[in-house]
Each structure stands twice: as structure tokens, then as C-alpha cells.
Amino acid sequence: MMRWPLAVVLFAACVPDPPPSDPHDDWDDKLAEREVDYNAALRIAALRLTGELPTLVELDAIASAPNQKVAYEEQIQRYLGNPKFARQMYRYAQDMLKMGDDPQLDTAAAFVAQVVINDRPYLDVLTATSGTCPSFNPATSQFTPGNCSNNAPATVGLLTHPGVQKHYFSNLAFRRVRWLQETFACTKFPAEIAKTATNVGGTMPYTGVFPFDSIAGAPTGRVDFKNTASVICANCHSNINHIAPLFAHFDADGRYTDGFAVPVPLPDNPPVEMRDYLPNGEGLAWRFGVPISDMTSLGRAMAADPTIAECAIARVWDWAMGKNDIVDGGARVPSATIEAQVAAFVAGGYSMKDAMYRVFTSDDFVRF
């Protein structure tokens, strides 16, 4: 009888079995066990789209229909045309923007709701050149047109909205940029992460995509965004500082000024200067390799970014499914889950009404 050395025996015992060629996921079985229930789906859809439960007539019509799928889909279309849907979109926008219950702030939510109700391209919320300060009457579901009057050189969707600028006023305009990122890109900063980190002599590596020296720091800037003593500030500020100067022109009341109107957190709170953001000669950018020069170009750059469309659909998906806020609540939606929804949204001209119809009639929504 042949005796194997002990080391060989132990090695053989420690070698894991090879993974199966077709790995099985128990969650796939659980998903496959779900059954279609159009009446249950209608109850949720009605609450989301009208703020009220479906009537018995509506429930009975689906339960007794020869083709429940068609009857359900037709009812969703009726909800999307119901005046109560406008009220729901107004509330949806208040939640999305984290703004509301103030006449000036509510015009931002009213504008988003108006874009959806009038079936305009959703990207108008970032690029529209007029009519961005309408009012809305929840009791009548009526919009009253209105232009913003805060002295901005050009109206650019919500980017120049006075309510947004006032509500998110802060040192160096950083709260405004954070709002922009989290609301429309659905992620916190850092916005871009390099595939390969860079050693900058700190306790942690630099992971930004922009060159490390592309933002301000000591000794030229009054705030050292290149400090490496603890955390690497540049990981986030490599993006933030390339955007914030555009928002620094709006004062605490949301009015545009020719000079910078936000403070630096230094003694006596002096107004910010460009050298506090970027070194001399460095240009503005939405993302690395996507230069911008003003609010209009920022709106266009964001509208062309696929991340914005995916964020819009992810927010609708979480809302329909009853999830928490996608950023604050960490309710991330895997890209693969909504890939088809996003593609249809883009191909259909960014119609949010059509997108909501697809979500509320999707297989994931009607199966329990």
C-alpha cells in the first residue's frame, strides 16, 4: 500500500472544489416562485399615481376581465392621465429635490412636475431656457406658468433656479454641488474613481481621475484641498472644485451676481476667489475630459451623461417599489435590473410618463 507524504495529504484536503460551471442562486428560485397579482399591483400603483386606493369598480374590472394584463395596463394609462397624477408628481418632485413648503422652493418642484405632466423630455429639468418657476395648485392640479427672476445671465433648468440656490447656500457653494450630484447622478462624492490609485505621500492613496495638482492647495489657495495628513480631500474635491465656481455667483437669496457671492470659512468669512478652487489656468469640467464654461454648457454636459438617465429611472424604480431614498437610504438599484428600462427611456425621448408606465407594468412590479 502506497503511503502519501503528510504534506501532500494536507494540501489535497485544503484545495477547494472547483466552482460549478453553472452556479445556482437560491434567490433565482424565490424570484421564479412569484405569481402575477394584478389586483395587488393596482392597489400599490393607485396609491403612487393618484394618492388614493383604487375603487371597487376598478378592481372588479380587472378581476373579471378576459385579459387581466390588458385591463391592468389600460388602468395604469388612465391613472397617468388623471388630474390627481399631477399632484403626485408635485410631491414626488418635492421629495426628489428635498425642497418644499415654501413659495419660492415649491416652484422648483412645480417645474419638475410640469415637465412630467406635459410629457416634455425629462432632461428639460437641466436645460430649459424659460418657464422654470411655475406655481402649482394641489387642490385644482393646475400649473401657472412663471419665469425665474434672479438676474441669471441665462436660464438653465433648475441649475439657475433661485430656490435651489437659496436653499443650498453654503461656504464655497459646496452644498449646491452636492445637491446637484446626489439629485441627478444618484451617488455621493467622489463622483469618479480611478482604476489605479496614486500615491501622493499620504496615509491613503489618491483615487481621483483628475490629476492631483488640478485643484487648489497650499500655498496658492487659502484652503488646502491637497492636504494628505488624514483623509485625501482631493478624492472628492477633484470633481467638486471643477463645478462649484459656477454656483458661487449666487448669493444667500439665490440672486446671481457678477462676482463671487459665497464665503470661505476663514476669519471674517471673506468671499471666495477662483484661486481657492483651482490653480491658475485650470478650466471647469463636469467630469474629467468634459469641459464646461458656464451653466448652459453644464446643463448640456449633464444631459449627455448616461448616468443622469439611469439615475432618473432608478429613482422611479425605487419610488414604485416603495424603497427609501436612493442616496440617503442607500437604496441602490443594480444597473442590470433597470438596463432595459433605461434604454427604452432614452430611445423614447426621455418621456417620464412612458417610463413610469413601463415600470408600473413591469414583470417585477406585478409579481408577488
Side-chain angles (χ1 to χ4, degrees):
M1 178 178 178
M2 184 176 181
R3 294 180 178 275
W4 292 97
L6 180 59
V8 174
V9 174
L10 291 176
F11 174 77
C14 293
V15 174
D17 294 331
S21 57
D22 184 19
H24 181 75
D25 189 338
D26 291 340
W27 283 107
D28 290 336
D29 294 336
K30 294 184 181 296
L31 290 172
E33 291 171 359
R34 296 176 302 165
E35 296 182 356
V36 172
D37 188 335
Y38 287 114
N39 269 20
L42 190 70
R43 289 183 179 91
I44 301 170
L47 285 170
R48 300 280 190 274
L49 299 174
T50 70
E52 299 176 3
L53 286 166
T55 66
L56 287 176
V57 172
E58 292 168 349
L59 290 169
D60 288 342
I62 291 176
S64 60
N67 189 324
Q68 290 191 353
K69 180 178 185 294
V70 171
Y72 171 80
E73 291 174 351
E74 289 175 346
Q75 184 57 56
I76 295 299
Q77 289 284 23
R78 284 192 285 272
Y79 286 155
L80 291 169
N82 191 310
K84 295 173 184 177
F85 176 58
R87 180 186 62 193
Q88 293 303 100
M89 286 299 93
Y90 177 65
R91 292 172 176 169
Y92 174 86
Q94 285 181 317
D95 287 342
M96 181 184 81
L97 302 176
K98 295 181 174 59
M99 296 170 56
D101 295 328
D102 174 274
Q104 188 181 51
L105 303 184
D106 281 338
T107 59
F111 175 59
V112 174
Q114 188 181 49
V115 166
V116 176
I117 295 302
N118 292 346
D119 209 19
R120 294 166 54 179
Y122 173 75
L123 297 180
D124 279 4
V125 301
L126 298 170
T127 61
T129 58
S130 64
T132 56
C133 279
S135 59
F136 177 71
N137 186 335
T140 62
S141 294
Q142 296 297 311
F143 294 93
T144 301
N147 290 314
C148 299
S149 55
N150 58 334
N151 204 38
T155 295
V156 187
L158 292 180
L159 304 187
T160 55
H161 192 280
V164 170
Q165 305 294 343
K166 179 179 180 179
H167 191 55
Y168 291 102
F169 178 81
S170 69
N171 292 322
L172 293 122
F174 286 159
R175 285 189 70 218
R176 293 165 177 168
V177 181
R178 176 185 174 184
W179 170 84
L180 187 77
Q181 171 70 21
E182 295 185 1
T183 301
F184 297 107
C186 287
T187 59
K188 296 181 179 180
F189 284 107
E192 296 179 293
I193 301 176
K195 294 181 180 179
T196 303
T198 303
N199 183 0
V200 292
T203 56
M204 299 172 62
Y206 170 61
T207 58
V209 177
F210 283 89
F212 184 67
D213 290 328
S214 69
I215 59 173
T220 55
R222 291 178 292 178
V223 180
D224 189 6
F225 293 108
K226 295 190 291 185
N227 185 287
T228 60
S230 54
V231 298
I232 306 299
C233 302
N235 287 339
C236 291
H237 284 280
S238 60
N239 284 112
I240 295 173
N241 287 24
H242 283 88
I243 301 169
L246 293 178
F247 290 89
H249 288 280
F250 295 87
D251 65 18
D253 291 323
R255 291 191 61 80
Y256 182 89
T257 64
D258 291 332
F260 287 149
V262 295
V264 180
L266 296 172
D268 298 324
N269 294 314
V272 71
E273 300 175 13
M274 183 58 84
R275 67 187 176 105
D276 297 315
Y277 294 113
L278 304 169
N280 187 37
E282 180 71 18
L284 304 178
W286 161 239
R287 295 290 187 256
F288 181 69
V290 185
I292 56 176
S293 57
D294 52 22
M295 282 294 195
T296 299
S297 59
L298 172 60
R300 289 173 180 168
M302 293 182 67
D305 188 338
T307 302
I308 305 304
E310 181 174 341
C311 173
I313 297 303
R315 283 191 174 279
V316 170
W317 188 269
D318 275 352
W319 172 62
M321 303 297 175
K323 304 296 183 181
N324 293 326
D325 182 80
I326 195 167
V327 177
D328 293 343
R332 301 290 302 151
V333 183
S335 295
T337 301
I338 56 173
E339 183 178 11
Q341 298 278 348
V342 174
F345 180 54
V346 175
Y350 303 95
S351 167
M352 190 58 80
K353 261 190 179 181
D354 290 348
M356 290 182 177
Y357 172 79
R358 285 188 292 268
V359 170
F360 282 96
T361 57
S362 68
D363 191 55
D364 285 308
F365 187 82
V366 302
R367 291 167 66 92
F368 296 83

